[in-house]
Amino acid sequence: MLVSLSIKNYALIDHLHVSFTNGFTVITGETGAGKSILLGGLALVLGKRADLSSLRDEEQKCVIEADFSIAKYDLISFFKENDLDYEENTIIRREILPSGKSRAFINDSPVNLSVLSALGDSLIDVHSQNQTAQLGDNAYQFKVIDGLAANGDLLREYANDWVLLKKESKALEKLIQAKQEGIKEHDYNTFLLQELENAPLKEGILEELEEQYEQLNNVENIMEQLSKGHQLLSDEQIGILHLLVELKQVSSKLAGYGSQFSALNDRVQSVYIEVDDIFEELGRLENKIEASPKVLEEVNTKLQLLYDLQKKHSVLEIAELIRIKEEIAVKVDATENIDATIKEKELVVKAKEKSLNNLCATISKRRKGIIPELKQQLETILGALGMPSAVFKIEINETSNFVYNGKDELVFQFSANKGSAFGELRKVASGGELSRIMLAIKAVLAKYEHLPTLMFDEIDTGVSGEISNKMGSIMQEMSETMQIFSITHLPQVASKGNHHFKVYKEDKDNVTHTKMKQLSAADRVVELAEMLGGKDLSDSAIAHAKQLLN
């Protein structure tokens, strides 16, 4: 419920503070008095974008503040989700600075416009003449039916699952596309992989093969040098080992004459041991080395394969070839196993579709179940509003595709007169008829769900006095369970209000100001009389005004 509205430095308003209570509140005033300014200010505090033209004094900031009682609106979760302090009396404030910047606050916590707008949608529904066009919008028609059918929770669950289905379906499409592209490359990748797997790829293999190649390719020279080295060491006359034996004898004889000679002897002994070991190693290598043209050819073949692969894949290291082999193996494996992956994803998609189909069936059943009652109530209310022949044709038909709110197609048609063909609301209903239909829909909705505060902006435009009297009664009846505002030019509607406010202009110091005041019982008589007969009050107009109020 809107408890109060405060507007400062907005359009023609210097400062305005108005308090409201529950029930039916009517707002009247001459054309141009500023009722639209009041609505504009309210729209700003509910999240509408603003500009500097909103400021009355461009050197001062504009401040609009609305106090709402929200205890009945079940908004605690909204406040938690947006990290806001929940208060049963919540204050929304909007500031427009001279710089053009705008700030918004909920219970003194700064928020962006999207959060402000989302909260505003839950607090007050401002219905203007332009919004009557929504009646012809299929989405709005679904919204009405789903509201009556209490499909809110089901539709939220459906929306979440629908997002998941689209995500899984997109993943499936990518897999199928990858399969089609993979088939083209599979044979080539398989060939590359086989080629790499046939190569002796391991760390250090290239150096190892190159060393082996050098030995095999120069085996005769190696054998010759080994033989020569062996001979130099073993010759009985001038062999190094023979000479070292004599040297050992000399150093041994010297060892007893002091530590320096003893150390020298140790060194000679070590040299002898090392040279003797070299002699043995030369012998082993000489016996081991042999010419093998076959092995040389095999080594050369492996080397050429590795060189060719390096050139083919534009790499310098065997490690890079190993990495490329692993990457190709992954591609080949993915292509070979993609059918199984696709099948698994298809099962996931089918499961999601089945779940959504079940939800859609429940949603559709509830929609169809509420239609007869909606049709009957709308036609009854419209009959009372001077449209006794008004008939609705509302049908729900299932389609094959999932859309944002299920799988249903809605046919919502109308005929205002007997014998007239059914047609879309926007095409066959006049402006006055649309206003009455909208009021009827709001009245029906009010019985089924706890609507926020409703503000009707001249919904009675284009209707006669007799019908407007009934429209006022319907709004008065709605106000028994919710707060209703009506901005009206019709005295019949204005007379039904529990509370009556007047918007007017006042000139002060050659400056025009928009004001708003609550009317007393006597003031209401005068206001209604002026609405009936103009500024020159006649006895009959005053009597008629009193009659309306009574």
Side-chain angles (χ1 to χ4, degrees):
M1 183 182 83
L2 178 61
V3 177
S4 67
L5 179 65
S6 176
I7 301 176
K8 181 181 178 182
N9 194 37
Y10 175 72
L12 296 179
I13 298 174
D14 274 333
H15 186 269
L16 175 69
H17 180 81
V18 192
S19 296
F20 304 104
T21 58
N22 56 9
F24 183 24
T25 298
V26 295
I27 300 172
T28 60
E30 295 179 359
T31 300
K35 298 187 294 296
S36 60
I37 296 175
L38 184 71
L39 283 176
L42 186 60
L44 283 177
V45 85
L46 294 176
K48 180 185 174 184
R49 295 199 172 276
D51 54 51
L52 280 174
S53 63
S54 304
L55 275 62
R56 178 180 178 86
D57 182 348
E58 294 184 357
E59 295 182 358
Q60 301 291 324
K61 70 179 178 180
C62 165
V63 180
I64 303 173
E65 192 170 276
D67 184 355
F68 287 91
S69 176
I70 64 171
K72 298 180 180 179
Y73 290 163
D74 191 25
L75 289 171
I76 294 176
S77 59
F78 175 89
F79 279 74
K80 285 183 179 178
E81 288 168 8
N82 290 283
D83 196 24
L84 297 169
D85 293 329
Y86 175 80
E87 300 288 346
E88 290 190 353
N89 259 67
T90 283
I91 296 174
I92 301 175
R93 186 171 79 256
R94 185 79 181 276
E95 298 179 356
I96 304 160
L97 307 179
S99 63
K101 291 184 178 180
S102 168
R103 300 187 299 186
F105 303 86
I106 297 174
N107 292 331
D108 286 328
S109 294
V111 295
N112 57 40
L113 286 189
S114 61
V115 174
L116 185 65
S117 180
L119 179 60
D121 288 342
S122 301
L123 297 179
I124 187 165
D125 178 5
V126 180
H127 173 78
S128 64
Q129 294 180 56
N130 293 334
Q131 287 179 304
T132 304
Q134 288 182 334
L135 284 173
D137 182 40
N138 203 243
Y140 183 79
Q141 295 164 357
F142 265 119
K143 185 178 178 181
V144 171
I145 291 172
D146 286 323
L148 301 183
N151 273 337
D153 289 340
L154 287 174
L155 285 169
R156 280 186 284 274
E157 183 182 351
Y158 169 85
N160 290 333
D161 285 356
W162 188 43
V163 169
L164 291 176
L165 174 63
K166 289 192 289 185
K167 181 180 177 182
E168 297 293 352
S169 298
K170 190 173 182 179
L172 177 59
E173 288 175 8
K174 284 186 177 179
L175 284 172
I176 293 172
Q177 184 179 359
K179 178 185 176 181
Q180 293 170 344
E181 293 174 354
I183 289 172
K184 300 173 185 175
E185 299 178 1
H186 182 62
D187 291 342
Y188 181 61
N189 283 335
T190 302
F191 167 75
L192 291 178
L193 180 62
Q194 189 67 43
E195 196 174 45
L196 289 165
E197 286 179 338
N198 289 337
L201 298 181
K202 66 177 182 178
E203 292 286 349
I205 186 64
L206 194 60
E207 293 79 6
E208 182 183 322
L209 288 172
E210 287 174 340
E211 181 181 296
Q212 192 177 0
Y213 176 81
E214 284 300 314
Q215 290 180 9
L216 289 169
N217 195 42
N218 296 280
V219 66
E220 292 180 0
N221 186 40
I222 292 171
M223 290 176 70
E224 181 183 341
Q225 298 304 318
L226 286 172
S227 177
K228 185 177 181 180
H230 195 267
Q231 187 177 356
L232 284 170
L233 290 171
S234 62
D235 189 274
E236 292 183 2
Q237 299 298 322
I238 58 170
I240 295 173
L241 277 174
H242 178 73
L243 294 174
L244 279 175
V245 169
E246 292 182 3
L247 182 60
K248 276 176 60 182
Q249 293 171 354
V250 171
S251 65
S252 294
K253 291 175 180 179
L254 290 170
Y257 296 113
S259 59
Q260 56 185 344
F261 297 112
S262 175
L264 180 63
N265 179 58
D266 291 340
R267 292 171 65 189
V268 170
Q269 296 294 329
S270 297
V271 169
Y272 177 81
I273 293 170
E274 181 66 20
V275 172
D276 186 58
D277 188 60
I278 293 173
F279 171 75
E280 296 294 333
E281 181 67 17
L282 286 171
R284 284 194 299 272
L285 290 173
E286 189 177 4
N287 292 328
K288 184 179 178 182
I289 294 293
E290 62 178 340
S292 178
K294 182 180 179 182
V295 175
L296 176 61
E297 185 180 352
E298 289 174 356
V299 170
N300 185 53
T301 300
K302 290 178 181 179
L303 278 173
Q304 289 304 315
L305 174 59
L306 292 176
Y307 292 151
D308 290 344
L309 288 173
Q310 285 179 318
K311 184 177 179 181
K312 184 172 187 176
H313 294 281
S314 302
V315 297
L316 298 173
E317 303 291 336
I318 296 298
E320 293 179 273
L321 284 177
I322 293 172
R323 178 183 56 79
I324 290 170
K325 182 184 77 170
E326 291 171 350
E327 290 176 354
I328 295 174
V330 169
K331 290 180 181 179
V332 170
D333 183 67
T335 304
E336 291 176 347
N337 294 289
I338 200 167
D339 286 334
T341 307
I342 288 173
K343 189 173 182 180
E344 288 177 8
K345 188 62 69 176
E346 284 175 340
L347 291 174
V348 172
V349 170
K350 286 179 181 177
K352 288 291 180 189
E353 287 177 343
K354 183 178 179 181
S355 174
L356 279 175
N357 277 320
N358 291 335
L359 272 174
C360 288
T362 304
I363 291 168
S364 185
K365 183 178 179 181
R366 289 190 179 192
R367 285 169 174 167
K368 291 175 181 176
I370 203 67
I371 284 174
E373 192 170 346
L374 170 63
K375 184 175 179 298
Q376 183 267 323
Q377 290 195 45
L378 287 177
E379 290 171 359
T380 299
I381 294 171
L382 289 177
L385 291 174
M387 298 172 65
S389 300
V391 181
F392 287 91
K393 181 182 180 183
I394 307 173
E395 297 176 354
I396 296 287
N397 301 310
E398 186 178 344
T399 63
S400 57
N401 298 322
F402 293 110
V403 291
Y404 75 97
N405 66 347
K407 294 179 72 173
D408 287 338
E409 181 182 68
L410 174 62
V411 177
F412 200 109
Q413 294 185 317
F414 174 73
S415 173
N417 304 296
K418 289 183 178 179
S420 297
F422 284 98
E424 295 179 23
L425 276 172
R426 70 184 78 187
K427 294 181 179 179
V428 299
S430 66
E433 288 170 340
L434 284 174
S435 294
R436 282 177 272 181
I437 293 168
M438 178 59 86
L439 179 60
I441 286 174
K442 296 287 187 182
V444 174
L445 281 172
K447 296 178 183 178
Y448 284 84
E449 57 179 9
H450 190 76
L451 293 176
T453 293
L454 273 175
M455 181 171 286
F456 293 108
D457 180 19
E458 299 184 4
I459 195 173
D460 45 29
T461 300
V463 298
S464 65
E466 181 183 350
I467 300 306
S468 64
N469 186 60
K470 184 59 182 176
M471 291 181 79
S473 296
I474 290 174
M475 285 186 265
Q476 188 180 49
E477 190 177 318
M478 291 171 68
S479 72
E480 293 176 4
T481 57
M482 61 189 300
Q483 187 184 37
I484 299 290
F485 288 87
S486 178
I487 296 175
T488 181
H489 284 294
L490 297 179
Q492 292 84 354
V493 173
S495 67
K496 301 292 183 180
N498 305 114
H499 322 285
H500 190 156
F501 288 83
K502 180 177 181 178
V503 178
Y504 61 98
K505 286 182 179 178
E506 182 179 86
D507 291 335
K508 186 176 180 181
D509 299 329
N510 293 320
V511 178
T512 301
H513 304 267
T514 288
K515 303 282 187 177
M516 183 175 179
K517 65 179 180 179
Q518 185 168 6
L519 301 182
S520 65
D523 291 335
R524 291 189 74 184
V525 173
V526 174
E527 176 70 7
L528 292 180
E530 289 183 353
M531 293 173 74
L532 288 163
K535 290 290 184 182
D536 296 328
L537 297 178
S538 64
D539 291 340
S540 61
I542 291 175
H544 191 185
K546 290 179 178 179
Q547 184 181 9
L548 286 174
L549 286 170
N550 291 329

